[in-house]
């Protein structure tokens, strides 16, 4: 009997590069991980119940639950639909330290403050260790989850032949101008920026282990010949 797929969210982090092209951010999973060990993947993970709890939903800005539900084709409840976007923001912060957030007044997160950067780095480790949850971190800093940044891309379900299955929603998001992802973390042994064509070329030569959904994302993105064209199609900000 096929395993039931788990709800999951994945985010393709992007940034423009010289010449009008763009790069994608990929991370390599540790060799001892239970799932996708050693593969290059996009940040993401399983949807947690706290991603759509009342406490978490009160800390969201930029997207309503009804808007999220329509975006995902009215297949899920409004709360669960919004939870997928929250999971993108949480996983990105947890895995590589990038935080999509705004203040009470709606101003972007300002990370030139070294004290704030240090506190968030400590709280990210507490999140990984299970000592703090994501909504509590936001509350402690007076911040709100900025759900206007992740843009829905597509939906994939792991085929039934696999033991570990995911009902995954993929999102695109632009790297904030004043933030840089961690080069490694508890769930990442290596990270790198590459243009889609370069990643596909290395995968073709057998140098870059990728799963089929990752290959599909890269092939889709490679069809865009410019950063401007990609932003125009998906309204990235």
């Amino acid at each position: 009997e096929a395993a039931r797929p788990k709800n999951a969210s994945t985010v393709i982090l992007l940034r423009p590069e010289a010449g009008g092209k763009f790069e994608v951010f990929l991370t390599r999973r540790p060799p001892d991980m239970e799932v996708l060990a050693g593969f290059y993947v996009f940040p993401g993970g399983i949807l947690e119940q706290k991603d759509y709890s009342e406490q978490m939903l009160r800390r969201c800005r930029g997207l309503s639950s009804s808007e999220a539900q329509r975006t995902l084709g009215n297949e899920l409840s409004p709360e669960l639909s919004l939870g997928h976007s929250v999971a993108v923001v949480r996983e990105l912060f947890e895995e590589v330290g990038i935080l999509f957030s705004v203040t009470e007044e709606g101003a972007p997160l300002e990370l030139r403050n070294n004290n704030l950067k240090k506190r968030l780095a400590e709280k990210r480790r507490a999140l990984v260790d299970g000592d703090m949850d994501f909504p509590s971190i936001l509350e402690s800093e007076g911040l709100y989850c900025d759900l206007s940044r992740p843009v829905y891309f597509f939906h994939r379900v792991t085929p039934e032949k696999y033991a570990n299955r995911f009902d995954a929603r993929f999102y695109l998001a632009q790297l904030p101008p004043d933030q840089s992802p961690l080069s490694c973390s508890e769930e990442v042994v290596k990270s790198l920026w590459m243009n889609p064509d370069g990643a596909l070329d290395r995968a073709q030569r057998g140098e870059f282990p990728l799963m089929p959904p990752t290959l599909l994302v890269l092939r889709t993105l490679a069809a865009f010949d410019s950063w401007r064209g990609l932003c125009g199609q998906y309204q990235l900000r």
Side-chain angles (χ1 to χ4, degrees), residues 35-188:
V35 179
L36 303 179
F39 279 84
Y40 283 92
V41 298
F42 303 113
I46 295 170
L47 199 66
E48 298 179 356
Q49 190 169 357
K50 285 191 176 181
D51 291 332
Y52 50 96
S53 67
E54 288 187 17
Q55 182 190 14
M56 185 66 244
L57 297 183
R58 289 196 298 267
R59 306 305 299 184
C60 293
R61 295 289 185 273
L63 184 71
S64 70
S65 56
S66 59
E67 289 170 337
Q69 184 182 45
R70 288 194 298 272
T71 298
L72 299 188
N74 296 306
E75 296 178 0
L76 305 171
S77 69
E79 294 77 17
L80 192 59
S81 299
L82 199 67
H84 272 284
S85 293
V86 171
V88 164
V89 179
R90 176 184 54 76
E91 287 284 349
L92 195 57
F93 179 60
E94 185 174 325
E95 291 186 22
V96 297
I98 298 296
L99 182 58
F100 294 154
S101 184
V102 294
T103 65
E104 175 75 51
E105 296 75 25
L109 176 65
E110 177 56 76
L111 282 182
R112 294 174 188 170
N113 182 324
N114 287 329
N115 289 331
L116 176 58
K117 285 180 69 172
K118 182 178 179 181
R119 291 199 308 272
L120 287 176
E122 292 171 348
K123 290 173 182 179
R124 187 199 70 81
R125 288 190 289 270
L127 176 64
V128 172
D129 293 339
D131 296 329
M132 285 190 80
D133 60 29
F134 191 48
S136 296
I137 290 173
L138 295 172
E139 287 177 355
S140 70
E141 296 293 342
L143 297 173
Y144 291 80
C145 196
D146 184 2
L147 300 185
S148 69
R149 286 189 169 274
V151 178
Y152 181 63
F153 191 42
F154 62 52
H155 176 207
R156 288 293 179 273
V157 180
T158 308
E160 293 185 359
K161 64 181 180 180
Y162 292 98
N164 289 302
R165 302 183 64 216
F166 303 98
D167 188 344
R169 268 73 181 183
F170 287 72
Y171 295 76
L172 302 175
Q174 182 177 355
L175 177 70
D178 62 342
Q179 296 190 49
S180 298
L182 300 172
S183 58
C184 61
S185 70
E186 298 81 0
E187 299 180 47
V188 175

